Amino acid sequence: MARSRSRLTRTSSVAAAAALALAGFTASPAVADDEDFRVQPYLQNPATDGMLITWMSWDDEPGEVQLEGQDPIESDPEVQEALDWTDNNRQQAIDHPEWGDWFREGRNYRHQVQLSDLEPDTTYTYTVRQGTSEITNTFTTAPTSDDWENIRLVAMADSETDPAGRTSHREWVPGAIAEGSDRPSVTDSLWAERFGTTEQQGEEILQYALTEDQGFAYNMEIVTERDPDLMLFAGDLVQGGGFQPAWDEWFRYLAGEVGNPASSRPVVTALGNWEPFGASDGGYEIEAVMNGRDSFHSYFTPFPNGTPEHQGNYHRLDYGPLTVITLDSTKGIPDDHPDNYAEEDKLSGTEYDGPGPDTQSSYTSTEYVAAGGDNLSPYNEGSVQWNWAEDQLADAREQGQIIVVQFHHAPFSSGEHGLPMNHEDTSGQGGTPMRIYAEMFEQYGVAAVLSGHSEMFERSLVDLNGDGNAVNYYDVGVAGDGLRGERRANGNLLSEPILEYNPYRVWSADQFEAEIWDGETLVDGGKHYGHLEINIERAADGGATMTMTPVYSFPLLDDDLDVLGTERRIYDDEVSLAIGADGTVEPEERDAVDAVVDLATALQEYVDAGDVAGPIANQLENALRQAEQHLEGDRTNPARVAMERFVRHLDNPKRPDTLTEQAAEDLRAQAMSVLDLI
């Protein structure tokens, strides 16, 4: 049976939040008998006329898919050798009984059935049969770009599942604390006794109340309750793509015993740094890296990108008025490494002199190719992927689509992976090389860029040319693994002040959502697992409203600190964008006075950080003060002269002055925006 879906307006207010119980998180299908399924059916590649259904079985017996009222379609199973278990996995099952019943010996046979000739925006009931088992569920095809009402998607990254997550509580790095509140003691509190403590960044800190397993499960339960049209995962799905137990864990939550939201809602996935990684099955040894990429491609087969060697690395999905472009940020060229830079030449503090070419120093593309690998897809300017991305952006813009881009490595980050390769404190996996796409994203009117990697919740607002058409960049790396904070100065010790390396950061859960405590009861605030919910509502004038809501899964504990469940809550950084009929974000109306005030605030932050110092600091401050006074008196010509003098000071620093390249670039762009407004 097929039926057209009536899309009612769906809101995302705190008042709608409700406590969730983990029991019952199954998104239960009408019929479920899954003994012969290794991975239950999951959806990919939604189109107006089709859907791809994938599942895994334990043997090579064909299965079948049947739409209600139609003839069944038989599958052609293929063994996925990259997904075989290893002797190391078997030994871990013996060594770690505390992880529970997680050992799943047996091969993976992939079944895929492409359904076609369907109707747009229509819900279908389907049944998948495998052996003596069958599962029934529903899916909905994509709407057309000219006949839709609303679209909801969720985005997250860094779930990093593995069996150990069933018992591990992650470090809970302290961030902002509300005035009058104090965290429980790390030496003498029930919280420390129940959940443990760990040493992090030079101090003993508390661990989080939920295990990684609970964190991801409750997060996905909230997602299931919200019933999105698409689920985006911006990399690091698993704690090692070459470590098969990690994949079995991920699918427990998406198409397995814990829950099966992917059986009725399509997934859109990106490669992260942990996918080409073997964990205890080889780490970043080349064979493990290759196996990790192969494993990812065994599970996910998105629409073709025109380059067979790169199939599945980067891809495009059109869903009604929305285009989702997924890039592969896992390896750039030439290969780079922190050891390539002499100690005396390395950057320190907030210094920045360019993005660098490579996001990964743990292995080289040279080694990968020498070992027979041919499926790396460098993202650098002029590469096949770069040219493909620009072609897709140009085409989507010509069609008037709303564009969202996802990839793993956050290019603008205040966190662990926010520093370039030539910085003294680099992680060796920084996301700054992906900044090369920023101008392209602005040129083609991208509405939002979704990433992860630093395992924090952060939003950056980037307007490189100062024309008012800024792009929102999100780090949504809070799916279910780490709960990190913003990087600190002087070696990242918690005793040091915030480094403030990312000048475009406008919000982070770490620094803007203060924890509120009543004794050992956390009342609200702080860093938690969660996701970004995006709602796109069609407007009467042919445009749309796009609302981006940072959602967190707040743990509910009793007086003994037993976990009762979680509650859906919303951070105080909901962003609403007006989208024009051409699919681009309409800039907010600003007057020149407000722009000058914002520029003065930015200048003061650079002065406080030491990025602007010496006589030039006073010269710039005086120019802005005069510009503001003239504008308030409606004297535009003198105001313009003052702003032009501000720009000249930036362009001609003198010997006693301190002016970092990053500060100069940012202040100049904002000044040019002020001049345009004048």
mmCIF file of all heavy atoms in Angstrom, residues 198-233:
data_model
loop_
_atom_site.group_PDB
_atom_site.id
_atom_site.type_symbol
_atom_site.label_atom_id
_atom_site.label_comp_id
_atom_site.label_asym_id
_atom_site.label_seq_id
_atom_site.Cartn_x
_atom_site.Cartn_y
_atom_site.Cartn_z
ATOM 1 N N THR A 198 39.041 10.904 36.042
ATOM 2 C CA THR A 198 40.206 10.615 35.203
ATOM 3 C C THR A 198 41.073 11.859 35.128
ATOM 4 O O THR A 198 40.587 12.982 35.330
ATOM 5 C CB THR A 198 39.774 10.181 33.794
ATOM 6 O OG1 THR A 198 40.905 9.738 33.050
ATOM 7 C CG2 THR A 198 39.121 11.330 33.041
ATOM 8 N N GLU A 199 42.340 11.668 34.844
ATOM 9 C CA GLU A 199 43.227 12.813 34.676
ATOM 10 C C GLU A 199 43.155 13.302 33.237
ATOM 11 O O GLU A 199 43.282 12.524 32.294
ATOM 12 C CB GLU A 199 44.667 12.448 35.025
ATOM 13 C CG GLU A 199 45.607 13.657 34.983
ATOM 14 C CD GLU A 199 47.025 13.340 35.420
ATOM 15 O OE1 GLU A 199 47.227 12.269 36.023
ATOM 16 O OE2 GLU A 199 47.918 14.158 35.138
ATOM 17 N N GLN A 200 42.936 14.589 33.080
ATOM 18 C CA GLN A 200 42.788 15.175 31.754
ATOM 19 C C GLN A 200 43.348 16.590 31.769
ATOM 20 O O GLN A 200 42.972 17.395 32.618
ATOM 21 C CB GLN A 200 41.302 15.211 31.348
ATOM 22 C CG GLN A 200 41.028 15.744 29.958
ATOM 23 C CD GLN A 200 41.277 14.695 28.886
ATOM 24 O OE1 GLN A 200 41.505 13.531 29.203
ATOM 25 N NE2 GLN A 200 41.243 15.089 27.633
ATOM 26 N N GLN A 201 44.248 16.872 30.862
ATOM 27 C CA GLN A 201 44.798 18.218 30.691
ATOM 28 C C GLN A 201 45.351 18.779 31.999
ATOM 29 O O GLN A 201 45.148 19.933 32.335
ATOM 30 C CB GLN A 201 43.737 19.146 30.096
ATOM 31 C CG GLN A 201 43.283 18.745 28.701
ATOM 32 C CD GLN A 201 42.073 19.509 28.217
ATOM 33 O OE1 GLN A 201 41.034 18.929 27.931
ATOM 34 N NE2 GLN A 201 42.202 20.826 28.116
ATOM 35 N N GLY A 202 46.043 17.912 32.728
ATOM 36 C CA GLY A 202 46.741 18.351 33.922
ATOM 37 C C GLY A 202 45.939 18.352 35.198
ATOM 38 O O GLY A 202 46.454 18.766 36.243
ATOM 39 N N GLU A 203 44.683 17.895 35.153
ATOM 40 C CA GLU A 203 43.859 17.893 36.354
ATOM 41 C C GLU A 203 43.023 16.622 36.427
ATOM 42 O O GLU A 203 42.732 15.995 35.395
ATOM 43 C CB GLU A 203 42.919 19.114 36.384
ATOM 44 C CG GLU A 203 43.623 20.445 36.524
ATOM 45 C CD GLU A 203 42.645 21.608 36.653
ATOM 46 O OE1 GLU A 203 41.437 21.330 36.894
ATOM 47 O OE2 GLU A 203 43.074 22.762 36.510
ATOM 48 N N GLU A 204 42.616 16.252 37.624
ATOM 49 C CA GLU A 204 41.665 15.162 37.818
ATOM 50 C C GLU A 204 40.260 15.731 37.634
ATOM 51 O O GLU A 204 39.896 16.738 38.245
ATOM 52 C CB GLU A 204 41.810 14.564 39.218
ATOM 53 C CG GLU A 204 41.122 13.215 39.392
ATOM 54 C CD GLU A 204 41.851 12.083 38.688
ATOM 55 O OE1 GLU A 204 43.029 12.259 38.308
ATOM 56 O OE2 GLU A 204 41.236 11.011 38.514
ATOM 57 N N ILE A 205 39.480 15.122 36.754
ATOM 58 C CA ILE A 205 38.146 15.643 36.462
ATOM 59 C C ILE A 205 37.122 14.513 36.552
ATOM 60 O O ILE A 205 37.460 13.324 36.551
ATOM 61 C CB ILE A 205 38.071 16.297 35.067
ATOM 62 C CG1 ILE A 205 38.309 15.250 33.965
ATOM 63 C CG2 ILE A 205 39.069 17.440 34.953
ATOM 64 C CD1 ILE A 205 38.048 15.766 32.566
ATOM 65 N N LEU A 206 35.851 14.898 36.618
ATOM 66 C CA LEU A 206 34.761 13.934 36.670
ATOM 67 C C LEU A 206 34.556 13.267 35.319
ATOM 68 O O LEU A 206 34.869 13.834 34.271
ATOM 69 C CB LEU A 206 33.459 14.625 37.076
ATOM 70 C CG LEU A 206 33.416 15.303 38.444
ATOM 71 C CD1 LEU A 206 32.112 16.067 38.598
ATOM 72 C CD2 LEU A 206 33.585 14.275 39.563
ATOM 73 N N GLN A 207 34.004 12.070 35.359
ATOM 74 C CA GLN A 207 33.536 11.403 34.150
ATOM 75 C C GLN A 207 32.022 11.611 34.022
ATOM 76 O O GLN A 207 31.331 11.921 34.992
ATOM 77 C CB GLN A 207 33.890 9.917 34.186
ATOM 78 C CG GLN A 207 35.393 9.685 34.137
ATOM 79 C CD GLN A 207 35.790 8.228 34.134
ATOM 80 O OE1 GLN A 207 36.922 7.899 33.782
ATOM 81 N NE2 GLN A 207 34.900 7.326 34.544
ATOM 82 N N TYR A 208 31.535 11.430 32.795
ATOM 83 C CA TYR A 208 30.139 11.723 32.490
ATOM 84 C C TYR A 208 29.215 10.647 33.059
ATOM 85 O O TYR A 208 29.610 9.496 33.271
ATOM 86 C CB TYR A 208 29.964 11.840 30.984
ATOM 87 C CG TYR A 208 28.652 12.432 30.549
ATOM 88 C CD1 TYR A 208 28.264 13.700 30.965
ATOM 89 C CD2 TYR A 208 27.787 11.727 29.717
ATOM 90 C CE1 TYR A 208 27.062 14.251 30.566
ATOM 91 C CE2 TYR A 208 26.587 12.261 29.296
ATOM 92 C CZ TYR A 208 26.225 13.531 29.731
ATOM 93 O OH TYR A 208 25.027 14.071 29.326
ATOM 94 N N ALA A 209 27.955 11.018 33.280
ATOM 95 C CA ALA A 209 26.995 10.124 33.923
ATOM 96 C C ALA A 209 26.586 8.950 33.039
ATOM 97 O O ALA A 209 26.301 7.859 33.542
ATOM 98 C CB ALA A 209 25.755 10.909 34.345
ATOM 99 N N LEU A 210 26.529 9.152 31.730
ATOM 100 C CA LEU A 210 26.113 8.090 30.821
ATOM 101 C C LEU A 210 27.324 7.376 30.248
ATOM 102 O O LEU A 210 28.353 7.998 29.984
ATOM 103 C CB LEU A 210 25.284 8.663 29.665
ATOM 104 C CG LEU A 210 24.042 9.485 30.017
ATOM 105 C CD1 LEU A 210 23.364 9.959 28.736
ATOM 106 C CD2 LEU A 210 23.074 8.684 30.875
ATOM 107 N N THR A 211 27.207 6.086 30.016
ATOM 108 C CA THR A 211 28.219 5.390 29.236
ATOM 109 C C THR A 211 28.099 5.835 27.782
ATOM 110 O O THR A 211 27.084 6.428 27.372
ATOM 111 C CB THR A 211 28.039 3.869 29.305
ATOM 112 O OG1 THR A 211 26.779 3.525 28.707
ATOM 113 C CG2 THR A 211 28.090 3.382 30.744
ATOM 114 N N GLU A 212 29.117 5.541 26.994
ATOM 115 C CA GLU A 212 29.040 5.872 25.571
ATOM 116 C C GLU A 212 27.860 5.157 24.919
ATOM 117 O O GLU A 212 27.178 5.726 24.051
ATOM 118 C CB GLU A 212 30.342 5.485 24.879
ATOM 119 C CG GLU A 212 31.542 6.296 25.334
ATOM 120 C CD GLU A 212 32.833 5.748 24.769
ATOM 121 O OE1 GLU A 212 33.216 6.174 23.661
ATOM 122 O OE2 GLU A 212 33.456 4.893 25.434
ATOM 123 N N ASP A 213 27.628 3.918 25.317
ATOM 124 C CA ASP A 213 26.508 3.142 24.803
ATOM 125 C C ASP A 213 25.185 3.835 25.103
ATOM 126 O O ASP A 213 24.347 4.035 24.217
ATOM 127 C CB ASP A 213 26.545 1.747 25.434
ATOM 128 C CG ASP A 213 25.317 0.912 25.131
ATOM 129 O OD1 ASP A 213 25.275 0.313 24.048
ATOM 130 O OD2 ASP A 213 24.404 0.860 25.985
ATOM 131 N N GLN A 214 24.994 4.239 26.363
ATOM 132 C CA GLN A 214 23.763 4.937 26.732
ATOM 133 C C GLN A 214 23.655 6.275 26.005
ATOM 134 O O GLN A 214 22.570 6.661 25.555
ATOM 135 C CB GLN A 214 23.727 5.167 28.242
ATOM 136 C CG GLN A 214 23.559 3.923 29.084
ATOM 137 C CD GLN A 214 23.716 4.225 30.566
ATOM 138 O OE1 GLN A 214 24.636 4.941 30.974
ATOM 139 N NE2 GLN A 214 22.816 3.699 31.380
ATOM 140 N N GLY A 215 24.776 6.985 25.913
ATOM 141 C CA GLY A 215 24.748 8.296 25.284
ATOM 142 C C GLY A 215 24.248 8.251 23.866
ATOM 143 O O GLY A 215 23.369 9.036 23.464
ATOM 144 N N PHE A 216 24.796 7.329 23.057
ATOM 145 C CA PHE A 216 24.372 7.229 21.658
ATOM 146 C C PHE A 216 22.951 6.681 21.558
ATOM 147 O O PHE A 216 22.149 7.142 20.733
ATOM 148 C CB PHE A 216 25.350 6.344 20.885
ATOM 149 C CG PHE A 216 25.136 6.342 19.398
ATOM 150 C CD1 PHE A 216 24.822 7.500 18.706
ATOM 151 C CD2 PHE A 216 25.262 5.163 18.666
ATOM 152 C CE1 PHE A 216 24.637 7.504 17.329
ATOM 153 C CE2 PHE A 216 25.084 5.148 17.290
ATOM 154 C CZ PHE A 216 24.765 6.316 16.624
ATOM 155 N N ALA A 217 22.622 5.701 22.411
ATOM 156 C CA ALA A 217 21.289 5.114 22.353
ATOM 157 C C ALA A 217 20.206 6.143 22.677
ATOM 158 O O ALA A 217 19.200 6.248 21.971
ATOM 159 C CB ALA A 217 21.200 3.927 23.308
ATOM 160 N N TYR A 218 20.388 6.902 23.753
ATOM 161 C CA TYR A 218 19.401 7.925 24.104
ATOM 162 C C TYR A 218 19.336 9.013 23.037
ATOM 163 O O TYR A 218 18.266 9.546 22.734
ATOM 164 C CB TYR A 218 19.734 8.541 25.456
ATOM 165 C CG TYR A 218 19.361 7.688 26.647
ATOM 166 C CD1 TYR A 218 20.314 7.320 27.590
ATOM 167 C CD2 TYR A 218 18.045 7.276 26.848
ATOM 168 C CE1 TYR A 218 19.980 6.549 28.702
ATOM 169 C CE2 TYR A 218 17.692 6.507 27.942
ATOM 170 C CZ TYR A 218 18.675 6.144 28.864
ATOM 171 O OH TYR A 218 18.325 5.384 29.952
ATOM 172 N N ASN A 219 20.487 9.365 22.485
ATOM 173 C CA ASN A 219 20.522 10.369 21.419
ATOM 174 C C ASN A 219 19.694 9.901 20.229
ATOM 175 O O ASN A 219 18.870 10.653 19.682
ATOM 176 C CB ASN A 219 21.977 10.612 21.017
ATOM 177 C CG ASN A 219 22.185 11.909 20.259
ATOM 178 O OD1 ASN A 219 21.280 12.735 20.133
ATOM 179 N ND2 ASN A 219 23.381 12.095 19.740
ATOM 180 N N MET A 220 19.897 8.641 19.817
ATOM 181 C CA MET A 220 19.146 8.115 18.676
ATOM 182 C C MET A 220 17.670 7.927 19.008
ATOM 183 O O MET A 220 16.816 8.023 18.120
ATOM 184 C CB MET A 220 19.759 6.800 18.217
ATOM 185 C CG MET A 220 21.110 6.935 17.525
ATOM 186 S SD MET A 220 21.098 8.137 16.153
ATOM 187 C CE MET A 220 19.746 7.529 15.158
ATOM 188 N N GLU A 221 17.360 7.693 20.273
ATOM 189 C CA GLU A 221 15.950 7.599 20.648
ATOM 190 C C GLU A 221 15.249 8.942 20.441
ATOM 191 O O GLU A 221 14.121 9.004 19.941
ATOM 192 C CB GLU A 221 15.818 7.153 22.101
ATOM 193 C CG GLU A 221 14.373 6.939 22.531
ATOM 194 C CD GLU A 221 14.247 6.426 23.950
ATOM 195 O OE1 GLU A 221 15.254 6.452 24.678
ATOM 196 O OE2 GLU A 221 13.132 6.014 24.323
ATOM 197 N N ILE A 222 15.922 10.024 20.818
ATOM 198 C CA ILE A 222 15.346 11.346 20.600
ATOM 199 C C ILE A 222 15.157 11.601 19.110
ATOM 200 O O ILE A 222 14.115 12.114 18.672
ATOM 201 C CB ILE A 222 16.246 12.429 21.231
ATOM 202 C CG1 ILE A 222 16.215 12.324 22.753
ATOM 203 C CG2 ILE A 222 15.806 13.825 20.792
ATOM 204 C CD1 ILE A 222 17.209 13.226 23.457
ATOM 205 N N VAL A 223 16.161 11.232 18.325
ATOM 206 C CA VAL A 223 16.059 11.391 16.869
ATOM 207 C C VAL A 223 14.848 10.632 16.339
ATOM 208 O O VAL A 223 14.068 11.150 15.524
ATOM 209 C CB VAL A 223 17.350 10.903 16.188
ATOM 210 C CG1 VAL A 223 17.149 10.778 14.685
ATOM 211 C CG2 VAL A 223 18.505 11.854 16.487
ATOM 212 N N THR A 224 14.678 9.401 16.798
ATOM 213 C CA THR A 224 13.559 8.584 16.330
ATOM 214 C C THR A 224 12.223 9.220 16.684
ATOM 215 O O THR A 224 11.290 9.246 15.868
ATOM 216 C CB THR A 224 13.653 7.172 16.938
ATOM 217 O OG1 THR A 224 14.905 6.587 16.580
ATOM 218 C CG2 THR A 224 12.526 6.285 16.432
ATOM 219 N N GLU A 225 12.130 9.764 17.899
ATOM 220 C CA GLU A 225 10.894 10.437 18.314
ATOM 221 C C GLU A 225 10.576 11.635 17.431
ATOM 222 O O GLU A 225 9.411 11.954 17.189
ATOM 223 C CB GLU A 225 11.022 10.882 19.772
ATOM 224 C CG GLU A 225 11.045 9.755 20.783
ATOM 225 C CD GLU A 225 9.678 9.125 20.972
ATOM 226 O OE1 GLU A 225 8.668 9.861 20.913
ATOM 227 O OE2 GLU A 225 9.615 7.897 21.164
ATOM 228 N N ARG A 226 11.616 12.296 16.920
ATOM 229 C CA ARG A 226 11.418 13.495 16.098
ATOM 230 C C ARG A 226 11.109 13.161 14.642
ATOM 231 O O ARG A 226 10.724 14.034 13.876
ATOM 232 C CB ARG A 226 12.650 14.390 16.180
ATOM 233 C CG ARG A 226 12.956 14.889 17.580
ATOM 234 C CD ARG A 226 11.895 15.826 18.084
ATOM 235 N NE ARG A 226 11.898 17.076 17.352
ATOM 236 C CZ ARG A 226 10.969 18.022 17.461
ATOM 237 N NH1 ARG A 226 9.935 17.826 18.264
ATOM 238 N NH2 ARG A 226 11.068 19.144 16.766
ATOM 239 N N ASP A 227 11.323 11.921 14.227
ATOM 240 C CA ASP A 227 10.927 11.425 12.911
ATOM 241 C C ASP A 227 11.479 12.281 11.762
ATOM 242 O O ASP A 227 10.728 12.846 10.971
ATOM 243 C CB ASP A 227 9.401 11.365 12.818
ATOM 244 C CG ASP A 227 8.935 10.594 11.585
ATOM 245 O OD1 ASP A 227 9.717 9.789 11.060
ATOM 246 O OD2 ASP A 227 7.792 10.830 11.147
ATOM 247 N N PRO A 228 12.806 12.377 11.626
ATOM 248 C CA PRO A 228 13.374 13.178 10.536
ATOM 249 C C PRO A 228 13.210 12.494 9.184
ATOM 250 O O PRO A 228 13.004 11.275 9.094
ATOM 251 C CB PRO A 228 14.850 13.272 10.920
ATOM 252 C CG PRO A 228 15.109 11.995 11.655
ATOM 253 C CD PRO A 228 13.847 11.714 12.432
ATOM 254 N N ASP A 229 13.333 13.274 8.131
ATOM 255 C CA ASP A 229 13.308 12.727 6.774
ATOM 256 C C ASP A 229 14.661 12.139 6.387
ATOM 257 O O ASP A 229 14.718 11.185 5.606
ATOM 258 C CB ASP A 229 12.926 13.828 5.776
ATOM 259 C CG ASP A 229 11.542 14.382 6.051
ATOM 260 O OD1 ASP A 229 10.571 13.620 5.932
ATOM 261 O OD2 ASP A 229 11.441 15.567 6.399
ATOM 262 N N LEU A 230 15.751 12.729 6.909
ATOM 263 C CA LEU A 230 17.105 12.267 6.616
ATOM 264 C C LEU A 230 17.919 12.282 7.904
ATOM 265 O O LEU A 230 17.736 13.153 8.757
ATOM 266 C CB LEU A 230 17.795 13.182 5.595
ATOM 267 C CG LEU A 230 17.187 13.298 4.199
ATOM 268 C CD1 LEU A 230 17.919 14.387 3.407
ATOM 269 C CD2 LEU A 230 17.254 11.975 3.454
ATOM 270 N N MET A 231 18.871 11.354 8.014
ATOM 271 C CA MET A 231 19.805 11.329 9.131
ATOM 272 C C MET A 231 21.221 11.419 8.563
ATOM 273 O O MET A 231 21.662 10.528 7.831
ATOM 274 C CB MET A 231 19.640 10.047 9.956
ATOM 275 C CG MET A 231 18.270 9.914 10.590
ATOM 276 S SD MET A 231 18.112 8.457 11.688
ATOM 277 C CE MET A 231 18.277 7.116 10.504
ATOM 278 N N LEU A 232 21.922 12.518 8.893
ATOM 279 C CA LEU A 232 23.272 12.761 8.396
ATOM 280 C C LEU A 232 24.291 12.409 9.477
ATOM 281 O O LEU A 232 24.142 12.820 10.633
ATOM 282 C CB LEU A 232 23.443 14.227 7.989
ATOM 283 C CG LEU A 232 22.982 14.640 6.585
ATOM 284 C CD1 LEU A 232 21.517 14.309 6.346
ATOM 285 C CD2 LEU A 232 23.230 16.129 6.365
ATOM 286 N N PHE A 233 25.323 11.671 9.084
ATOM 287 C CA PHE A 233 26.397 11.290 9.991
ATOM 288 C C PHE A 233 27.724 11.739 9.373
ATOM 289 O O PHE A 233 28.202 11.146 8.417
ATOM 290 C CB PHE A 233 26.389 9.780 10.228
ATOM 291 C CG PHE A 233 25.153 9.289 10.927
ATOM 292 C CD1 PHE A 233 24.042 8.886 10.203
ATOM 293 C CD2 PHE A 233 25.092 9.248 12.311
ATOM 294 C CE1 PHE A 233 22.888 8.445 10.834
ATOM 295 C CE2 PHE A 233 23.946 8.816 12.964
ATOM 296 C CZ PHE A 233 22.838 8.414 12.225
#
